[in-house]
Amino acid sequence: MTDWVLIVDDEAMIRENLKAYLEDEGWRVAAFESVAPALGWLRNGDPCRVCIMDMRLPDMDGNSAIRTLRQIYPDLEFLIHTGSSGYSLPEDLRAMGLDDSRVYHKPLADMAPLAAAARRLAMREDSP
Amino acid sequence: MSAPSSSSTPPIPAVPRRRGWSRSFYWGLALAVVIGAATVTVLDPLPYYETLLDHWFDPARWEPEVFTAMLHYILWLLVWLGVVAVAALLWSWLLRRQVTQRTRQLLRELHERQQVEVALRESEARFRDVTEAASDWIWEMNERLRFTHLSERFYALTGIAPHHVLGRARWEIGAADSAADLERWRQHRELLEQHLPFRDFVYQTRLSGNHNAGRYLKVSGKPIYDVQGRFLGYRGTGTDITEQIRAETALRESELRLRRIIDLVPHMIFAKDRNGRFLLANSATAKAIGVTVDDLVQHPHPIVHSVAEETERMLADDREVIDSGIPKLIAEETFTDHAGQTRTLQTIKIPFIEPGLNETAVLGVAIDITEQRRAKEEVARMRLYLKNIIDSMPSVLIGVDPWGYITVLNQPAEQAGGMSWEAAQGRFFGDVFPQLEGQFEQVRQAIRLGRPIKTPRMTLDIQGELHYADVMVYPLMADSASGAVIRMDDITARVRIESMMVQTEKMLSVGGLAAGMAHEINNPLGAILQGSQNILRRVAPDMPQNRAVADAIGIDLDQLHRYLEQRQVLRFLEGIREAGARAAKIVADMLSFSRRSESRFALVNLEEMLETVLRLAASDYDLKKKYDFKRIAIERDYDPALRFVSCDKTEIEQVILNLLKNAAQAMAEEGTPAPVITLRTRREPEHALIEVVDNGPGMDDKTLKRVFEPFFTTKDVGAGTGLGLSVSYFIVTEQHNGRLSVLSKPGQGARFSIRLPLSREAPP
């Protein structure tokens, strides 16, 4: 199991809090405010299997970012952490195997479920 | 009839010649013979006789004794003559006596005969009088059947001249227009030729005098024979019955006309006597009973009409009319006709004296009003039907005439006016409905302009409560009755819903705003909540990472924790976290109002969904503090016919959860001793019904009216946002095209009913 989690969120405090919580849970966390640096890190950095993606990002929207990243890293799994309540998964993302259980609405009063989901995804990635 | 002249002495009739002699004559003759014989014997004349003869015829023998003999002979002759004289005298006396007697007898006979003749004449005259009185004339025919005699009266009556009749046969003066006439004449002629008597032969004369038409004559006759039994002809009487025939014809025609008239009348006309026997009936009556007129007349009612109960009733009516002598109108009575169909009759029965019977009978005219009655019933049924229709309208409907007087009220109007239709009829509508008094101008205008006049959203003060009503005044354009109908709809509830919807709309825009701002709001909220969580976690003494860092910088984590506790830092942090959570919830609720571009409708197993919601409710985080859901008995009343419902599962879950929570809270607050929540599903024709019923404190009317209003809450400030039910209402009505309603009374629990369309149209 790789213990890297990638976080893309433009809200610094969200990013920092998630990072802090997951680090406390034993993860190594890479957090970026936009897609471009995240791509750069992925290109150079350690292998990462789980990405927590915000939807409203400065350089592109989360859905497109997922499509782009999935294309380059087919093994990367996504959890969506969005502040827009009306968010629903586009069909093509569903076709990639994402479902409503991957969507987490802000604000998260408790980050434990999100961390657990990330762990499940990392474990699953190992099992096949 | 004897004439006075007959009493005078009639002239003495000639004595009839007699044949033979009377008895006394023979007696006298016999006596004379006896005396003569005796004398002869005594005198013995014979010797004288011989002497005489000798003397005379023998002159020689003339002797004196001859003279003596002659004397003797003369004496003998004289004796004879004396005897004859005495006999003659005696005979004459006898004869005279006989003649006297005979004359007397004859006179007596004569007188008697005269009297007989007078009587005969009188009788004859009487007979003639009688005959002539019984008939108009007497006629006679000879053996060739030709008229030989006719009384004067015949000519006077018929106007026919004698020379047209005398010497002719009857058939020569009679008319024969038809075959039947010819046959009659033939029979009559045959009869006459056979010399048979006949009576009352009626014929019409061909000849006429001053009259245009022939006269009708009725004749009777008998053949006459002489002593030898030879046929001499006919004798008879005749009567002119023209007038009688005409009268009879006229009567017959009149009767026929009457018959035709009553037969033409479609109503039943009949007359019955006291015993119920039909004296008269027209064909309509006969037809209704199913017999012919002839069969009906003279038959008693019960024989021809078999429905005993009806017959009895009708006969009782007949008798009543006959006994009272007063006409009776039977407005409606049933009558079963021959086909077994029950008809309704309107009958008038009138008493009358039947001519010839001299007894009161009853004349009846019955009109079949079955159709009218049916029509009347139909009208009544229709009237009731229309009344039911207008009564079932929720609107207050007031019918008024052009002057504003009430003609019709429907039931809601009766309730609103507190007065029944009957009582309100004819009263000015403004008196019964003071709040509508101002509408009189609209009534007049509507009638004048011929179009409805609307007064929308009129405010009314009903028992101190503000009500809204739409008032429409429709002109009535029926050809006979003009007027108007005032329709008032209490739209208070609608106005309230509308205002609620306005608020909901506001919320929607707020929701829209919130949706736009959600990201911006949720991010800081996320920072607050996540930050609080991280802080709490990172000051916790039991976390190895914390301990490692604390050791590295040389502080005692346990002391720090005690410090934070004592300074209530941890409580403040918890407060921050709770406040953040509440803010997050408000935002989430408000976001619910935003119309989602994409609702995820799917067929959902209703029972499974309800069970899920029940589990959610039982483990609800917020509510655990206030009540123990496990204390509440849950009753499940699921309709096996209703399994799948098309809906957005999470939304409906939210709605049901909300209802469950409200029910649980209300019951917990009120301390309901044995709290029960019933979950009920029913398949309705168009809807799936989901009910959440509790036995809690219920709601009063005022609460009930506002229960779906946004931000309306009965909970303590801070305990609820007042958005739960309005969001539920929004989800059910707007997003699912369904209905959400509530039934409740204080102390009787509450029943919330969700109705979701079974065959869902495209969701909005």
Side-chain angles (χ1 to χ4, degrees):
Chain A
M1 146 177 175
T2 61
D3 46 6
W4 278 101
V5 173
L6 173 64
I7 294 171
V8 185
D9 201 310
D10 64 337
E11 182 72 29
M13 275 316 293
I14 298 286
R15 208 164 59 228
E16 292 306 317
N17 270 309
L18 273 177
K19 188 169 181 274
Y21 188 92
L22 290 170
E23 278 173 351
D24 282 353
E25 291 292 307
W27 294 85
R28 282 190 285 173
V29 180
F32 302 96
E33 61 168 352
S34 61
V35 183
L39 267 171
W41 176 80
L42 277 172
R43 223 173 272 128
N44 304 320
D46 301 288
C48 169
R49 291 300 176 214
V50 182
C51 171
I52 296 171
M53 179 69 80
D54 186 16
M55 277 296 123
R56 211 180 280 182
L57 295 166
D59 49 356
M60 76 167 41
D61 76 282
N63 289 331
S64 308
I66 291 171
R67 286 184 200 106
T68 312
L69 291 174
R70 213 0 138 45
Q71 225 168 0
I72 306 166
Y73 305 99
D75 291 339
L76 190 59
E77 290 294 345
F78 297 94
L79 289 167
I80 294 161
H81 188 214
T82 176
S84 54
S85 57
Y87 177 79
S88 66
L89 271 173
E91 281 309 307
D92 62 326
L93 295 196
R94 284 180 189 277
M96 289 175 196
L98 273 70
D99 59 28
D100 292 335
S101 68
R102 303 279 187 93
V103 181
Y104 292 82
H105 289 284
K106 292 179 186 174
L108 279 177
D110 184 5
M111 288 174 280
L114 180 65
R119 186 159 304 280
R120 271 200 306 278
L121 286 175
M123 297 281 282
R124 199 180 70 171
E125 179 243 6
D126 263 1
S127 50
Chain B
M1 274 163 264
S2 56
S5 61
S6 59
S7 62
S8 65
T9 314
I12 300 170
V15 177
R17 273 186 305 168
R18 284 211 48 156
R19 290 184 205 100
W21 299 94
S22 70
R23 195 177 297 158
S24 49
F25 173 77
Y26 291 109
W27 278 114
L29 197 63
L31 190 63
V33 169
V34 168
I35 292 169
T39 310
V40 167
T41 311
V42 171
L43 293 174
D44 193 11
L46 278 173
Y48 306 113
Y49 191 59
E50 281 169 3
T51 312
L52 215 48
L53 279 175
D54 289 348
H55 176 69
W56 279 340
F57 295 107
D58 188 2
R61 292 194 65 177
W62 279 81
E63 312 165 357
E65 307 103 293
V66 168
F67 185 66
T68 325
M70 257 190 69
L71 276 174
H72 276 156
Y73 187 66
I74 289 165
L75 186 67
W76 183 78
L77 272 176
L78 282 174
V79 168
W80 267 104
L81 279 170
V83 167
V84 168
V86 168
L89 278 171
L90 192 67
W91 184 54
S92 156
W93 178 78
L94 276 170
L95 203 65
R96 193 180 295 124
R97 201 162 155 262
Q98 268 189 336
V99 164
T100 315
Q101 270 181 349
R102 187 77 192 154
T103 306
R104 211 178 285 136
Q105 189 186 350
L106 276 173
L107 277 171
R108 201 166 53 239
E109 278 180 7
L110 189 68
H111 184 70
E112 275 172 10
R113 181 179 292 217
Q114 275 179 334
Q115 277 187 330
V116 165
E117 275 179 8
V118 166
L120 192 65
R121 249 198 319 278
E122 277 179 2
S123 155
E124 210 175 65
R126 194 154 51 228
F127 177 67
R128 188 175 295 271
D129 283 350
V130 168
T131 308
E132 301 230 328
S135 55
D136 289 334
W137 62 85
I138 296 168
W139 54 270
E140 283 173 355
M141 270 178 188
N142 61 16
E143 73 281 359
R144 290 186 301 112
L145 308 174
R146 297 297 188 268
F147 282 113
T148 54
H149 170 75
L150 284 151
S151 314
E152 277 304 315
R153 225 172 126 62
F154 172 80
Y155 306 114
L157 273 171
T158 61
I160 300 171
H163 63 269
H164 283 308
V165 191
L166 292 178
R168 295 195 181 187
R170 179 173 288 124
W171 46 88
E172 288 173 312
I173 62 164
D177 296 332
S178 63
D181 278 350
L182 284 172
E183 176 61 21
R184 280 177 61 244
W185 275 115
R186 195 187 60 72
Q187 284 176 358
H188 182 64
R189 196 168 168 175
E190 236 169 55
L191 201 108
L192 290 185
E193 279 162 358
Q194 287 169 15
H195 306 157
L196 294 169
F198 64 90
R199 283 201 70 80
D200 297 343
F201 176 70
V202 176
Y203 68 102
Q204 192 180 13
T205 59
R206 185 166 34 172
L207 302 160
S208 63
N210 43 3
H211 303 286
N212 288 333
R215 309 287 294 178
Y216 287 95
L217 310 181
K218 183 165 84 178
V219 291
S220 301
K222 275 178 88 172
I224 40 179
Y225 299 94
D226 67 3
V227 271
Q228 278 84 21
R230 211 171 43 193
F231 175 66
L232 292 179
Y234 268 95
R235 188 183 289 140
T237 57
T239 314
D240 186 332
I241 56 165
T242 309
E243 297 312 320
Q244 189 189 334
I245 291 267
R246 284 193 185 139
E248 275 174 11
T249 310
L251 187 65
R252 211 163 33 240
E253 277 173 5
S254 155
E255 260 186 20
L256 200 64
R257 194 176 302 126
L258 180 70
R259 181 84 242 162
R260 277 200 193 128
I261 289 171
I262 68 166
D263 278 350
L264 273 176
V265 174
H267 308 315
M268 292 159 69
I269 300 175
F270 53 84
K272 282 186 269 179
D273 68 8
R274 177 179 294 276
N275 301 319
R277 206 177 65 219
F278 279 97
L279 303 171
L280 168 90
N282 68 342
S283 61
T285 311
K287 213 171 117 190
I289 294 178
V291 294
T292 64
V293 171
D294 292 334
D295 282 345
L296 194 56
V297 173
Q298 300 305 330
H299 281 102
H301 193 137
I303 288 181
V304 291
H305 185 211
S306 54
V307 182
E309 170 211 341
E310 290 174 5
T311 303
E312 267 169 36
R313 191 191 61 227
M314 288 171 178
L315 290 178
D317 286 336
D318 291 349
R319 277 194 295 277
E320 186 194 322
V321 170
I322 289 171
D323 291 341
S324 68
I326 298 165
K328 182 178 184 183
L329 176 76
I330 301 138
E332 275 187 13
E333 63 175 339
T334 55
F335 165 74
T336 309
D337 68 10
H338 65 100
Q341 288 195 319
T342 303
R343 293 154 170 272
T344 308
L345 303 179
Q346 185 173 76
T347 311
I348 183 152
K349 291 190 171 174
I350 306 158
F352 78 106
I353 307 280
E354 165 75 359
L357 275 183
N358 230 357
E359 211 178 86
T360 310
V362 60
L363 173 74
V365 179
I367 301 171
D368 188 340
I369 55 164
T370 312
E371 290 309 313
Q372 288 97 306
R373 199 189 134 97
R374 201 167 288 155
K376 223 164 80 183
E377 277 171 2
E378 181 60 26
V379 166
R381 204 184 62 79
M382 204 60 212
R383 183 183 288 256
L384 192 67
Y385 183 60
L386 289 176
K387 168 110 178 79
N388 280 344
I389 288 178
I390 67 163
D391 278 352
S392 63
M393 301 247 177
S395 309
V396 167
L397 294 176
I398 307 159
V400 294
D401 67 10
W403 301 274
Y405 294 103
I406 291 171
T407 55
V408 176
L409 291 186
N410 72 344
Q411 214 173 4
E414 288 177 332
Q415 278 169 5
M419 194 178 280
S420 74
W421 176 357
E422 289 75 19
Q425 225 161 7
R427 297 184 62 170
F428 183 64
F429 78 93
D431 295 340
V432 182
F433 302 93
Q435 68 270 32
L436 288 177
E437 198 172 358
Q439 287 289 312
F440 190 42
E441 185 47 43
Q442 278 84 332
V443 169
R444 286 184 10 200
Q445 214 177 348
I447 293 172
R448 198 175 64 241
L449 300 177
R451 59 178 174 79
I453 309 279
K454 186 174 184 179
T455 314
R457 208 174 274 227
M458 221 173 97
T459 51
L460 304 171
D461 183 0
I462 296 175
Q463 288 153 5
E465 241 181 278
L466 185 66
H467 278 247
Y468 297 93
D470 277 352
V471 179
M472 288 280 275
V473 179
Y474 298 91
L476 280 182
M477 288 303 167
D479 43 10
S480 58
S482 72
V485 174
I486 301 168
R487 172 186 149 192
M488 181 171 75
D489 291 295
D490 192 324
I491 52 159
T492 313
R494 207 184 79 207
V495 168
R496 209 163 275 154
I497 295 280
E498 267 174 16
S499 65
M500 193 181 101
M501 288 317 287
V502 166
Q503 255 174 308
T504 310
E505 284 298 321
K506 279 186 205 157
M507 293 310 295
L508 276 177
S509 53
V510 170
L513 259 170
M517 291 166 62
H519 191 258
E520 308 310 323
I521 294 169
N522 282 337
N523 276 329
L525 280 176
I528 292 167
L529 288 170
Q530 288 169 347
S532 309
Q533 192 182 20
N534 277 333
I535 291 168
L536 285 168
R537 264 162 73 95
R538 290 196 169 183
V539 296
D542 52 349
M543 203 173 179
Q545 290 99 318
N546 296 354
R547 215 163 269 282
V549 174
D551 287 346
I553 56 177
I555 53 167
D556 184 354
L557 205 54
D558 293 322
Q559 279 181 338
L560 176 66
H561 197 257
R562 275 202 299 281
Y563 169 80
L564 290 173
E565 266 185 347
Q566 278 180 16
R567 295 298 294 159
Q568 295 191 327
V569 174
L570 294 179
R571 238 195 108 227
F572 294 141
L573 270 170
E574 186 61 35
I576 291 168
R577 203 192 63 84
E578 273 188 15
R582 211 164 72 223
K585 177 136 184 16
I586 290 169
V587 170
D589 281 346
M590 286 167 79
L591 283 172
S592 299
F593 284 105
S594 63
R595 289 196 178 87
R596 297 195 179 176
S597 54
E598 202 182 333
S599 288
R600 282 184 297 277
F601 272 81
L603 278 182
V604 174
N605 185 316
L606 195 57
E607 282 181 34
E608 279 177 17
M609 180 173 75
L610 291 173
E611 292 304 313
T612 309
V613 177
L614 281 172
R615 274 197 306 277
L616 275 171
S619 61
D620 190 85
Y621 168 71
D622 284 337
L623 298 166
K624 263 188 179 168
K625 297 177 188 167
K626 292 217 167 185
Y627 60 85
D628 187 1
F629 204 83
K630 292 187 183 83
R631 259 197 65 234
I632 299 170
I634 303 294
E635 284 188 0
R636 296 165 175 82
D637 179 11
Y638 298 152
D639 185 350
L642 177 65
R643 296 197 59 203
F644 291 96
V645 178
S646 171
C647 65
D648 185 328
K649 190 182 171 194
T650 50
E651 306 253 275
I652 296 301
E653 274 178 358
Q654 187 190 339
V655 170
I656 296 165
L657 181 62
N658 200 295
L659 295 176
L660 287 175
K661 277 154 64 176
N662 281 345
Q665 269 182 3
M667 291 192 289
E669 276 171 19
E670 206 61 32
T672 305
V676 179
I677 290 177
T678 306
L679 278 175
R680 182 179 295 133
T681 67
R682 285 288 179 273
R683 189 189 183 94
E684 290 185 343
E686 306 266 313
H687 294 98
L689 170 71
I690 306 159
E691 284 187 336
V692 179
V693 187
D694 67 53
N695 62 346
M699 286 168 273
D700 59 22
D701 266 6
K702 281 189 173 165
T703 308
L704 213 53
K705 277 173 189 166
R706 301 186 59 193
V707 78
F708 298 120
E709 270 181 46
F711 297 113
F712 175 80
T713 180
T714 55
K715 296 171 190 167
D716 299 334
V717 178
T721 59
L723 284 172
L725 275 176
S726 60
V727 167
S728 298
Y729 188 87
F730 178 82
I731 289 169
V732 173
T733 58
E734 292 293 313
Q735 294 189 341
H736 286 79
N737 228 0
R739 293 207 302 270
L740 177 59
S741 57
V742 60
L743 250 155
S744 180
K745 272 184 183 161
Q748 296 182 14
R751 172 201 299 251
F752 283 87
S753 304
I754 303 163
R755 283 182 172 82
L756 300 175
L758 277 174
S759 56
R760 191 178 53 83
E761 308 283 320

